[in-house]
């Protein structure tokens, strides 16, 4: 009676013809006993808790057949009971078959749950104690259990509950477990309140079946795998969450992927080399991580700056220069304006992905540099400045030669009278000559409209050779008054050396100013005025003219040269003595030897000259100088002073040349 309403549609519309035929033919007791016995016998199946899933799936089908047979008889007897509402016996059989149907269903549900408890396990103490095994078990056996349970119309609640927990466990384990995609990352279940106390989620919960959203990360850790590898791992969990249609758990996995994306973006390690920012964006797009894609795009902003080209009179705007940025597989380009300025939109400015390559091309010359992005967090409104300076391959460079010569000379012919008619004569000739030919190259010159300044080591490169030679000859004659005894003594020293001149042992300074000539002229005018050679009016007029900067294309320059090279060489020494005594002669000494000794000595000279500016960037410097010094010869002989003369000449021209390779 209590089930007639429930089965009335089936009884009246579908089962009535069968019932009419079966009425009086069915032995309800026989059918009931047969099925009850069968269901009871099948209840413990599969026996022995087998380790294969097949027996469980088989017995789900068998028990579904048992249930379906019971349900078929239940429909029949229920239809008869509806036709015969006064028949208490039929009403009793409806109840019996209903209870037997529930028992058959419970038996099938028990088999489903047995399969779940056997194969859908996770966590410590199980064979699925790490996320890869959990995901594999869920994909292989969990899905088959669910599909068979649905097919046989048994309860899927426990299957779904366990599957949900397995997804949650795998999500937590891939974040903080032994096989996590981070190293050193840690978290706990719950959160910390304002008072610093740890709080747990409300309601009933299982530690190994808690959502990621209910956990608090306490240590960020470091990414362990390249972005694409890590997301392929999380995709295994994500695919299962999608298959099972667990929306909340799917969101947890996606949130985890986005968190890893932010941590691993452009980091080395885990990436073994620089990966372009676009590569990371393509990875995020491939895994449908919209939040990560937007995070990636947040590191693009505005890059701007100026492009200049190095010219003789200073750096000038490189108007029209083509500026190109390349980072990964992305390229941006812009043309510089009349003032050399350029600006690009949506250019990568990520600090972690730096450096980024930037170049500029102007009239066939090119500069290649890099820049570091300023952004550690997304900011699409960011602006970053990067200026570029092009050093042309054909430039205006100073080239020329510096010639130096220094000579130290002594020439002495002397005679002394002794007692009686005795005489002593001396012939002494000494010479030390040094000369150098030096090539000069200057590129980076402090040159302005007011003048210029060049200095070796910082701006000027020099190469050359210092050659030195020394020659000393000395001869003395002694004759006694009776001419019976004579003595001849000769000695000599001869040698040479050659030394390299570089930036390390030569100082060359060239300083020029349009005011230098004016300053000297002022001194002359002041002297003329003090001597009364000019009137006060003439003095004032000349001084006013001299105080105005000279705008002519030439001005005076001062040049200082100091060579500190000290060259050594082999010197040949001779020593000869011959004595004539009463018509006989004897050579008492005739020695030849050699030794190594300094030959070149440091020298310096100052020069004065003129800077002349030509057309089309050309210019020239010409300077010369001479210095002469004397020093006593030493000794007892009345010899003239030693004369040291140093001369120098410098010739430089500025013209357009191909830049030398470094």
């Amino acid at each position: 009676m209590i089930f007639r309403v429930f089965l009335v549609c089936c009884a009246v519309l579908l089962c009535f013809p069968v019932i009419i035929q079966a009425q009086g033919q069915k032995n309800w007791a026989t059918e009931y006993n047969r099925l009850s016995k069968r269901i009871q016998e099948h209840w413990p199946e599969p026996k022995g808790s087998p380790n294969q899933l097949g027996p469980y799936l088989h017995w789900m089908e068998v028990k579904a057949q048992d249930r379906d047979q019971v349900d078929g008889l239940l429909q029949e007897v229920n239809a008869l009971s509806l036709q015969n509402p006064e028949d208490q016996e039929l009403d009793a059989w409806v109840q019996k078959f209903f209870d037997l149907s529930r028992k058959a269903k419970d038996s099938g549900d028990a088999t489903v749950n047995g399969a779940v408890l056997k194969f859908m396990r996770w966590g410590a103490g199980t064979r699925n104690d790490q996320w890869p095994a959990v995901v594999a078990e869920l994909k292989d056996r969990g899905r088959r259990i669910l599909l068979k349970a649905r097919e046989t119309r048994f309860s899927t609640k426990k299957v779904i509950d366990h599957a949900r927990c397995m997804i949650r466990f795998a999500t937590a384990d891939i974040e903080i477990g032994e096989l996590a995609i981070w190293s050193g990352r840690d978290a706990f279940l719950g959160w910390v309140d304002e008072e610093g106390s740890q709080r747990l989620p409300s309601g009933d919960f299982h530690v190994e079946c808690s959502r990621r959203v209910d956990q608090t990360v306490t240590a960020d850790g470091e990414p362990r795998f390249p972005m694409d590898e890590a997301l392929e791992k999380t995709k295994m969990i994500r695919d299962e969450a999608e298959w099972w249609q667990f929306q909340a758990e799917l969101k947890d996995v996606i949130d985890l992927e986005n968190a890893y994306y932010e941590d691993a973006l452009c980091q080395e390690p885990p990436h073994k080399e620089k990966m372009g920012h676009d590569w990371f964006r393509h990875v995020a797009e491939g895994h449908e991580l919209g939040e990560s894609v937007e995070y990636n795009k947040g590191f693009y902003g505005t890059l701007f700056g100026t492009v200049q080209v190095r010219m003789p009179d200073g750096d000038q705007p490189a108007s029209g220069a083509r500026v190109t940025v390349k980072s990964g597989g992305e390229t941006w380009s812009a043309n510089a304006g009349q003032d050399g300025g350029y600006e690009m939109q949506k250019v990568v400015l990520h600090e972690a992905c730096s450096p980024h390559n930037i170049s500029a091309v102007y009239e066939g010359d090119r500069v290649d540099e890099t820049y570091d992005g300023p952004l550690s967090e997304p900011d699409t409104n960011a602006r970053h400045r990067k200026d570029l300076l092009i050093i042309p391959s054909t430039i205006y460079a100073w080239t020329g030669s510096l010639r130096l010569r220094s000579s130290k000379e002594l020439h002495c012919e002397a005679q002394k009278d002794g007692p009686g008619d005795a005489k002593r004569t001396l012939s002494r000739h000494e010479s030390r000559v040094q000369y150098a030919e030096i090539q000069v190259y200057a590129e980076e010159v402090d040159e302005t409209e007011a003048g210029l300044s060049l200095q070796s080591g910082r701006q000027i490169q020099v190469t050359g050779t210092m050659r030195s030679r020394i020659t000393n000859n000395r001869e003395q004659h002694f004759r006694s008054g009776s001419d019976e005894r004579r003595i001849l003594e000769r000695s000599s020293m001869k040698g040479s050396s050659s030394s390299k001149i570089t930036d390390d042992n030569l100082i060359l300074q060239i300083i020029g100013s349009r005011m230098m000539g004016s300053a000297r002229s002022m001194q002359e005018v002041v002297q003329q005025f003090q001597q009364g050679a000019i009137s006060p009016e003439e003095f004032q007029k000349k001084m006013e003219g001299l105080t105005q900067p000279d705008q002519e294309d030439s001005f005076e320059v001062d040049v200082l040269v100091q060579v500190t090279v000290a060259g050594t060489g082999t010197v040949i020494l001779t020593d000869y003595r011959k004595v004539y005594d009463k018509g006989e002669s004897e050579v008492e000494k005739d020695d030849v030897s050699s030794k190594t000794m300094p030959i070149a000595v440091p020298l310096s000279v100052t020069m004065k000259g003129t800077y002349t500016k030509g057309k089309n960037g050309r210019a020239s410097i010409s300077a010369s100088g001479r210095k002469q010094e004397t020093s006593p010869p030493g000794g007892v002989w009345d010899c003239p002073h030693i004369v040291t003369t140093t001369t120098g000449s410098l010739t430089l021209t500025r013209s357009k040349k191909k830049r030398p390779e470094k």
Side-chain angles (χ1 to χ4, degrees):
M1 289 172 31
I2 58 175
F3 304 104
R4 289 174 182 165
V5 175
F6 174 73
L7 298 172
V8 65
C9 293
C10 177
V12 173
L13 300 177
L14 300 175
C15 304
F16 183 75
V18 177
I19 294 171
I20 298 301
Q21 295 176 6
Q23 187 176 8
Q25 298 179 7
K26 292 287 186 183
N27 187 327
W28 300 114
T30 300
E31 293 297 327
Y32 177 84
N33 291 334
R34 178 180 63 83
L35 290 174
S36 179
K37 180 181 179 181
R38 179 183 176 88
I39 292 170
Q40 186 62 37
E41 289 175 348
H42 291 170
W43 182 276
E45 298 293 351
K47 297 176 181 178
S49 186
N51 293 325
Q52 292 77 34
L53 181 59
Y56 290 90
L57 302 180
H58 167 73
W59 283 106
M60 288 184 204
E61 294 177 351
V62 172
K63 294 183 179 184
Q65 293 174 3
D66 295 343
R67 179 204 58 208
D68 292 345
Q69 289 185 32
V70 173
D71 289 346
L73 293 172
L74 176 60
Q75 292 176 6
E76 289 184 35
V77 72
N78 188 66
L80 288 174
S81 179
L82 289 173
Q83 295 175 22
N84 303 278
E86 303 300 326
D87 191 334
Q88 297 297 320
E89 184 179 357
L90 287 176
D91 189 52
W93 282 115
V94 170
Q95 183 65 49
K96 282 180 174 291
F97 279 108
F98 176 79
D99 292 340
L100 188 59
S101 176
R102 291 185 59 180
K103 184 176 181 179
K105 179 181 180 304
D106 291 343
S107 179
D109 289 344
T111 301
V112 173
N113 295 340
V116 169
L117 295 175
K118 181 70 177 181
F119 300 107
M120 298 180 67
R121 304 179 65 192
W122 70 94
T126 71
R127 63 180 181 180
N128 303 325
D129 58 348
Q130 293 177 323
W131 71 266
V134 171
V135 173
E137 191 87 318
L138 186 58
K139 182 177 181 180
D140 178 35
R141 296 178 176 176
R143 290 188 182 187
R144 292 164 64 190
I145 294 172
L146 177 69
L147 292 175
K148 184 58 69 175
R150 285 178 175 171
E151 176 189 330
T152 55
R153 294 182 289 111
F154 290 122
S155 174
T156 59
K157 182 179 183 305
K158 203 172 193 68
V159 184
I160 293 174
D161 288 347
H162 274 240
R164 193 185 308 276
C165 287
M166 293 174 78
I167 294 291
R168 293 179 179 182
F169 172 83
T171 303
D173 194 55
I174 201 172
E175 181 172 10
I176 61 175
E178 292 183 5
L179 301 181
I181 54 179
W182 279 275
S183 61
R185 192 173 180 90
D186 201 6
F188 70 89
L189 181 61
W191 71 96
V192 177
D193 62 18
E194 296 178 354
E195 298 178 354
S197 300
Q198 181 176 342
R199 304 294 297 274
L200 295 174
S202 59
D204 295 333
F205 62 88
H206 189 291
V207 173
E208 293 184 339
C209 186
S210 58
R211 284 189 59 193
R212 182 176 185 272
V213 72
D214 293 327
Q215 298 181 1
T216 299
V217 175
T218 57
D220 292 333
E222 297 293 336
R224 291 179 60 187
F225 299 97
M227 188 76 76
D228 53 345
E229 292 183 24
L231 294 183
E232 284 300 317
K233 295 177 184 294
T234 58
K235 184 177 183 297
M236 297 168 62
I237 305 174
R238 181 173 173 177
D239 287 347
E240 283 306 297
E242 290 180 340
W243 192 91
W244 290 84
Q245 298 182 354
F246 295 155
Q247 297 304 317
E249 285 69 26
L250 176 61
K251 182 179 183 305
D252 287 345
V253 180
I254 293 175
D255 289 345
L256 180 142
E257 291 177 323
N258 287 325
Y260 190 86
Y261 189 91
E262 293 186 16
D263 285 357
L265 180 60
C266 293
Q267 295 300 317
E268 294 182 75
H271 303 94
K272 296 180 180 179
E273 59 182 346
K274 284 291 182 186
M275 310 299 291
H277 212 261
D278 57 324
W279 181 85
F280 289 98
R281 186 171 64 255
H282 294 329
V283 171
E285 291 171 345
H287 287 268
E288 299 180 349
L289 295 176
E291 183 178 320
S292 292
V293 172
E294 293 305 313
Y295 181 81
N296 180 290
K297 292 180 178 179
F299 288 96
Y300 290 76
T302 301
L303 183 70
F304 69 99
T306 60
V307 185
Q308 293 184 309
V309 59
R310 178 62 45 87
M311 299 295 286
D313 298 329
D315 299 337
Q316 303 295 327
S319 58
R322 185 67 170 175
V323 184
T324 303
V325 172
K326 290 186 177 181
S327 182
E330 297 180 284
T331 301
W332 301 263
S333 295
N335 292 328
Q338 289 295 321
D339 60 351
Y342 73 92
E343 184 168 308
M344 302 179 188
Q345 308 296 328
K346 296 182 179 180
V347 181
V348 61
L349 300 179
H350 198 178
E351 179 184 36
C353 278
S354 300
H356 309 287
N357 298 318
I358 184 171
S359 64
V361 178
Y362 177 75
E363 294 185 354
D365 293 311
R366 178 186 179 100
V367 61
D368 288 279
E369 293 189 16
T370 61
Y371 68 91
D372 291 337
L375 295 182
S376 58
E377 294 295 334
D379 181 5
T380 55
N381 295 319
R383 293 175 59 84
H384 182 63
R385 184 183 188 95
K386 176 60 180 179
D387 296 330
L388 298 168
L389 176 62
I390 298 176
I391 307 297
S393 57
T394 54
I395 59 171
Y396 288 95
W398 289 93
T399 57
S401 61
L402 170 65
R403 293 178 173 85
L404 301 174
R405 188 181 189 280
S406 178
S407 63
K408 184 178 181 180
E409 303 285 346
L410 172 64
H411 300 283
C412 180
E413 300 287 344
Q415 178 177 305
K416 286 187 178 182
D417 295 333
D421 294 333
K423 292 185 180 295
R424 185 184 295 272
T425 60
L426 170 69
S427 178
R428 180 182 172 188
H429 298 277
E430 297 180 5
S431 174
R432 183 194 300 269
V433 179
Q434 297 175 223
Y435 56 95
E437 181 86 16
I438 303 167
Q439 300 302 313
V440 180
Y441 177 86
E443 181 179 313
E444 302 292 337
V445 179
D446 295 335
E447 187 173 354
T448 65
E449 289 295 330
L452 83 162
S453 173
L454 291 83
Q455 181 173 333
S456 59
R458 185 171 67 90
Q459 299 162 308
I460 304 176
Q461 294 83 50
V462 298
T463 57
T465 303
M466 172 74 79
R467 292 181 173 83
S468 306
R469 69 173 184 269
I470 184 170
T471 303
N472 290 349
N473 293 307
R474 184 185 183 95
E475 183 174 318
Q476 292 190 82
H477 293 268
F478 172 77
R479 180 174 62 82
S480 65
S482 60
D483 205 22
E484 293 181 353
R485 183 177 175 84
R486 288 179 294 152
I487 300 174
L488 172 61
E489 293 179 344
R490 291 185 185 138
S491 63
S492 67
M493 179 173 64
K494 186 175 183 180
S496 63
S497 68
S498 178
S499 305
K500 294 293 183 182
I501 295 178
T502 66
D503 296 339
D504 296 329
N505 50 36
L506 180 137
I507 297 175
L508 172 60
Q509 291 181 341
I510 305 174
I511 299 175
S513 170
R514 299 184 186 278
M515 297 298 296
M516 287 177 59
S518 298
R520 294 192 181 98
S521 299
M522 286 180 188
Q523 293 178 352
E524 295 176 359
V525 171
V526 170
Q527 290 178 354
Q528 293 175 2
F529 179 71
Q530 291 174 342
Q531 296 171 359
I534 58 176
S535 66
E537 292 78 9
E538 291 175 319
F539 172 77
Q540 182 177 359
K541 184 177 180 180
K542 288 186 176 182
M543 292 298 289
E544 288 177 352
L546 292 174
T547 54
Q548 299 297 323
D550 190 358
Q551 298 301 320
E552 295 182 358
D553 291 334
S554 64
F555 52 82
E556 295 182 8
V557 295
D558 288 337
V559 180
L560 169 64
V561 181
Q562 292 180 336
V563 182
T564 59
V565 62
T568 60
T570 301
V571 177
I572 305 299
L573 303 173
T574 65
D575 195 359
Y576 179 84
R577 178 182 173 88
K578 186 174 184 179
V579 178
Y580 298 88
D581 195 3
K582 297 179 180 181
E584 296 182 1
S585 63
E586 179 183 359
V587 177
E588 296 182 350
K589 184 184 293 187
D590 190 4
D591 298 334
V592 179
S593 62
S594 65
K595 68 176 182 179
T596 301
M597 60 180 291
I599 297 178
V601 297
L603 59 87
S604 66
V605 64
T606 58
M607 294 179 277
K608 294 186 180 298
T610 304
Y611 166 94
T612 303
K613 185 176 182 179
K615 296 181 179 180
N616 299 323
R618 297 179 178 272
S620 64
I621 294 176
S622 179
S624 61
R626 185 176 187 275
K627 178 178 69 173
Q628 190 172 73
E629 299 174 318
T630 60
S631 59
V636 298
W637 293 88
D638 186 15
C639 290
H641 278 55
I642 300 172
V643 178
T644 301
T645 304
T646 304
T647 61
S649 64
L650 173 68
T651 302
L652 294 177
T653 58
R654 186 181 70 193
S655 59
K656 199 170 187 179
K657 296 182 177 295
K658 184 175 178 61
R659 184 183 301 279
E661 296 183 1
K662 300 295 184 181

